[in-house]
Amino acid sequence: MSTQTQTETTTTSETGVARLRALWNDYLPYWFIAPMVLVMVLITFFPGAYDLYLSVIEEPTFNIFAAEFVGLQNYETAFGRGGALHSFVITVTVVVSALALESVLGFGLAALVAGVESERLQSFYRVLFIIPMAVAPVSLATIGRIMLNSEIGVIPYLIEATTPFAAPAFLSEIPLLTVVLLDTWNWTPFMFIIFYAGLSSVPDTLIEASRVDGAPLWRRYLHVVIPYMKPVVFVATLIRLIDLFRTFGVVYGLTQGGPGTATQLVSINIYEQMFINNSPGVAAAIAVVYLVFVVAIANIVIAKVGFEGVWD
Amino acid sequence: MASQNQSQTQSQSQSQSPVDTGSQRLDKDTRETLVSVARHGLLLVWSFVVLFPLYWLASMSLKPPGEANALPPDWLFLPTVYNYIQLAQDGAFLAAFANSVVMVSASVVLVLLIGVPAAYVLSRYDIPMERDVLVWILSSRMLPPIAVVIPFFVIFRELNLFDSRIGMVFMYVSINLSLVVWVMKAFFDGIPETLEEAARVDGATRFQGFRKVVLPAAKPGIFSVAIISFIFAWIELLFGLVLTNFKAVPVTLFVYSFIGSRSIEWGMLAAASMAMILPVVVFLIAVNKYLAAGLSFGVVIKE
C-alpha cells in the first residue's frame, strides 16, 4: 500500500516535471523574451508617464488622486524663470560640436592607424587610443580641474611658458568649449574603434580597384570607403548622438553648470530644479520636453539615414 | 566652364595613371615616405594627447602633499605612495569601491541573463513589427537618465529601494539592456541556423540547442558586450547621486565628494581617480581584441 502511494507520487511528480519541461520548451521564445519586455516596459513607459503626470500637478502627494492639477503652469515656469530654453540651446551646441569633432577625429585616427604597415604597431595604437574610454566622467572632471586650473594648472602654465599668449581661464571664460574638448578627449576613442573596425571590413580588392583607376586619396574615401562603411558610420554616430544628450557627470564635476548658467545643460538644469530648487513639477516639465525632443531627433536620424545594412 | 575643368582633370588623370615612368616612381617613393612620416607624426601627437593627462594624474597621485600642485611643476620627483596608503585606510572609500564592484558585476550578470535570450528570440523567430520592437528597445537608451531618475527616485522611496544595492543594480541593468539586445541580436544573426537544427535532429530540445550549440558560438559577442556593459555601469554618476545616500554609494560618487569639499586634497583626489581608472584600463587592454566587435553592434562581424 505504502509503496504503491510512493510510486504514484513519484510518477505524478515525474509527469509534473515532464509537463513543466514541455511547457518550458514549447513556449521557449515567450519565456526568453518576457523578462526583457517586462524591464523595457518598466524603464520606458513608466518614467515618461510619471514625468508627464508630475509636470501637470502642483505638488506630488502619496495619494495620486488628491493632486492638484495645474495645467501647463510648470511648463511656463520652466521656460520662463527656469531657463529651459537656454539649456536646450547650449545642449544642442555641445552635442553638435562634440559629435562633429569626435567623428572627424575618430575617422582620421582610424584611417591613420589602419594604414600602419606593422601589425604589432597597429595593435599597440589601437589599445593606446581606446584608453580614455575607461575614464569616468567624474575622473575626467577631476583631471580637468587639476590641469586647467588658472592657478595650479599645468596646461595654462605650459601655454604661457611656451607661447607669447596669455592662457584663457578655461573654466570661467570658455567653459562650454572646455566641456566639448574634455568630452572629445573622453569619447573620440569610441568613434575611433568603431570606424577602425569598419575600415578593416572594407575589402582590399575594392580599394585596389579604385587605386588602379587612379582615384586620388580623398575621392577614394568619399566614393568607395565611406559608402561601404555606411552602416558602421550610421551606428556609431547614432549611438554617440544619443549618449551625448545624456552628458551629466563631466559638467557636474567640472563646473556644476556654472559660472552662472553658462554650462547649464538640460540634464544639469533638471537636476537643479528637482534637488536644489525642490520643484519637481518644473523639473518634470523640462524632462518631458527633453524626452520628446531627444526621441524625436533620434527617430528623424533613423528615418532619414535608414537602417539598410545595419540588420538583415 | 566647370564641366570643362572636370573633363580636363579627368583626361589628365587618365593619361597619367597607366604609364609609370621612372621619375614618377621616384616621386611616388618620396611621397610614400612623406606620408609615412606624417602618419607617424600625427599618431605620436595623439598618443601624447591621450597619455599626458593620464600621466599627470598618475604623477600627481604619487607626489607628496605639498608638491602636488607646485608650479613650475616638479618634473623629477621622488614618488611616494602616501596618498594611496591614506586612501586604503579610508573605510568609506573602500566601502564605496566594494559597492561598485558588487553592484556593477551583479548588473552585468543580470543584464546578460535577460538580454541574451531575448536577443536570440529576436534573431531566430518572426516577431511582428520587429523593426519597431528594435527601435523601441533602443529608445530606452534615448531617454536621458535625468528624466528617468526622477520617477524612480519617487518610486524607490515608496518601495524601500532608495539607497539599496538592489535598486542600483536595476538602474544599471536599465542603461545596458538595449545595448546587450542589439549587439547580441546582430551576433546571433551571424550564426547559421543549421547548427541548432542539426542538434534538434540529434534529439536535443530547443533549450539544449540554445545552451549547448548557440551560446558557445556566441561567446565572443557575450564577452565584449559584458565588458561594455561593465564600463557603462562603472562610470555612471547620476544614479548614485540621486538614488543613494550612504549604504549603496558607488565609487564615482565618492570621487566626486573630494571635488565638492571646500578644500580640495589634490593628491587624494588624483589617487582616488587612479584607483577608479586603473582596473578598467587593465581590463580594456586585456580584452581589446573583442572590443571592436562588440562596440560596432555586430555590424562588422556580419561581413
Side-chain angles (χ1 to χ4, degrees):
Chain A
M1 174 76 178
S2 70
T3 46
Q4 205 189 347
T5 13
Q6 213 170 13
T7 45
E8 246 171 38
T9 45
T10 43
T11 44
T12 44
S13 74
E14 256 170 26
T15 52
V17 168
R19 200 176 297 153
L20 274 181
R21 190 169 288 156
L23 213 61
W24 169 246
N25 270 303
D26 291 350
Y27 293 94
L28 197 71
Y30 297 94
W31 300 128
F32 267 22
I33 211 158
M36 183 212 64
V37 172
L38 186 74
V39 175
M40 275 297 158
V41 168
L42 260 178
I43 61 180
T44 55
F45 295 136
F46 165 67
Y50 198 89
D51 277 332
L52 194 62
Y53 165 73
L54 270 185
S55 72
V56 294
I57 59 162
E58 173 80 63
E59 184 94 340
T61 55
F62 292 119
N63 182 356
I64 284 185
F65 303 103
E68 196 193 335
F69 180 76
V70 293
L72 295 180
Q73 193 185 302
N74 286 322
Y75 290 84
E76 268 180 61
T77 317
F79 282 86
R81 282 182 286 121
L85 198 63
H86 164 76
S87 296
F88 274 85
V89 171
I90 63 165
T91 302
V92 170
T93 313
V94 166
V95 170
V96 170
S97 30
L99 189 65
L101 208 55
E102 286 163 22
S103 306
V104 171
L105 263 175
F107 192 88
L109 288 171
L112 284 175
V113 172
V116 170
E117 298 84 10
S118 147
E119 196 64 41
R120 287 182 63 180
L121 206 57
Q122 236 190 64
S123 98
F124 167 76
Y125 279 127
R126 209 173 56 218
V127 174
L128 180 66
F129 288 178
I130 59 172
I131 286 177
M133 260 180 67
V135 177
V138 182
S139 310
L140 184 66
T142 308
I143 295 175
R145 281 200 159 210
I146 292 175
M147 296 182 73
L148 299 174
N149 189 299
S150 316
E151 276 146 38
I152 61 152
V154 65
I155 288 181
Y157 168 79
L158 285 180
I159 290 176
E160 290 186 349
T162 57
T163 69
F165 308 108
F170 286 95
L171 300 185
S172 53
E173 282 170 17
I174 47 168
L176 222 48
L177 182 64
T178 307
V179 168
V180 169
L181 291 178
L182 284 178
D183 194 82
T184 303
W185 184 83
N186 204 185
W187 288 103
T188 296
F190 180 84
M191 299 307 248
F192 159 74
I193 195 73
I194 298 183
F195 286 152
Y196 174 84
L199 275 176
S200 352
S201 78
V202 179
D204 287 341
T205 48
L206 212 62
I207 296 181
E208 267 320 305
S210 75
R211 191 175 288 166
V212 171
D213 286 348
L217 189 71
W218 64 269
R219 190 174 277 187
R220 204 149 70 216
Y221 271 101
L222 206 63
H223 294 307
V224 181
V225 177
I226 293 180
Y228 190 87
M229 286 174 57
K230 201 174 137 197
V232 182
V233 173
F234 170 75
V235 169
T237 318
L238 179 68
I239 297 298
R240 192 66 208 121
L241 177 79
I242 292 171
D243 279 356
L244 267 164
F245 278 109
R246 304 157 70 98
T247 307
F248 179 83
V250 60
V251 183
Y252 193 71
L254 200 62
T255 61
Q256 294 216 319
T261 57
T263 54
Q264 201 178 58
L265 302 184
V266 179
S267 44
I268 302 275
N269 193 0
I270 297 174
Y271 177 84
E272 286 190 350
Q273 296 291 352
M274 176 81 191
F275 296 101
I276 293 167
N277 295 354
N278 264 323
S279 18
V282 177
I286 306 176
V288 168
V289 179
Y290 198 42
L291 275 181
V292 173
F293 183 72
V294 175
V295 173
I297 286 190
N299 275 304
I300 289 168
V301 172
I302 291 171
K304 279 260 182 251
V305 189
F307 267 122
E308 73 268 34
V310 178
W311 59 58
D312 301 330
Chain B
M1 179 70 183
S3 64
Q4 210 185 342
N5 265 349
Q6 208 177 18
S7 63
Q8 213 176 355
T9 39
Q10 247 174 19
S11 65
Q12 251 179 14
S13 60
Q14 264 170 7
S15 66
Q16 269 181 10
S17 56
V19 201
D20 233 7
T21 62
S23 72
Q24 266 172 341
R25 189 173 293 145
L26 196 72
D27 277 349
K28 213 175 144 196
D29 282 353
T30 30
R31 216 179 63 200
E32 266 174 13
T33 343
L34 276 177
V35 164
S36 171
V37 168
R39 176 192 307 282
H40 287 283
L42 288 171
L43 289 172
L44 275 180
V45 169
W46 188 256
S47 306
F48 179 77
V49 170
V50 166
L51 286 176
F52 186 62
L54 293 170
Y55 159 76
W56 198 253
L57 191 70
S59 75
M60 216 154 183
S61 74
L62 292 170
K63 282 176 184 172
E67 245 173 290
N69 38 39
L71 280 182
D74 298 315
W75 295 103
L76 286 172
F77 61 94
L78 204 61
T80 160
V81 289
Y82 172 82
N83 291 311
Y84 289 95
I85 291 172
Q86 290 283 96
L87 207 59
Q89 286 169 349
D90 188 337
F93 173 80
L94 292 182
F97 198 89
N99 259 344
S100 271
V101 171
V102 171
M103 297 188 303
V104 170
S105 310
S107 85
V108 171
V109 172
L110 197 59
V111 82
L112 291 178
L113 282 177
I114 298 173
V116 171
Y120 175 73
V121 173
L122 282 168
S123 162
R124 286 295 189 269
Y125 294 86
D126 279 328
I127 309 285
M129 301 189 302
E130 183 175 321
R131 205 189 127 131
D132 296 303
V133 171
L134 281 164
V135 173
W136 172 52
I137 291 166
L138 187 66
S139 79
S140 75
R141 203 176 167 75
M142 296 174 196
L143 308 178
I146 184 68
V148 170
V149 84
I150 292 171
F152 279 109
F153 173 71
V154 178
I155 203 97
F156 274 19
R157 296 203 145 208
E158 295 284 308
L159 297 176
N160 251 338
L161 284 172
F162 180 77
D163 199 16
S164 75
R165 295 193 187 92
I166 293 175
M168 288 298 286
V169 168
F170 175 79
M171 296 313 290
Y172 289 152
V173 167
S174 81
I175 40 175
N176 284 321
L177 188 54
S178 60
L179 206 72
V180 172
V181 173
W182 266 53
V183 174
M184 289 316 298
K185 194 236 172 228
F187 237 94
F188 288 133
D189 282 350
I191 299 172
E193 232 168 299
T194 45
L195 273 182
E196 67 230 76
E197 274 162 17
R200 290 272 282 289
V201 170
D202 289 345
T205 62
R206 275 186 183 180
F207 183 63
Q208 282 168 335
F210 170 71
R211 193 167 59 92
K212 295 198 173 138
V213 180
V214 182
L215 271 193
K219 225 187 218 165
I222 296 176
F223 211 50
S224 64
V225 87
I227 298 150
I228 302 159
S229 302
F230 188 94
I231 292 177
F232 275 121
W234 182 260
I235 66 179
E236 171 62 40
L237 167 78
L238 186 62
F239 293 146
L241 191 62
V242 174
L243 298 174
T244 70
N245 195 9
F246 177 72
K247 276 191 310 191
V249 166
V251 70
T252 28
L253 194 58
F254 197 87
V255 172
Y256 170 74
S257 73
F258 279 112
I259 307 180
S261 54
R262 258 176 203 287
S263 63
I264 302 177
E265 288 177 86
W266 294 107
M268 290 285 279
L269 182 56
S273 291
M274 283 304 289
M276 263 199 74
I277 294 169
L278 263 182
V280 188
V281 169
V282 172
F283 209 27
L284 270 183
I285 292 174
V287 297
N288 99 85
K289 65 174 174 170
Y290 296 106
L291 199 69
L295 273 177
S296 49
F297 278 60
V299 170
V300 184
I301 298 303
K302 278 165 72 182
E303 298 306 328

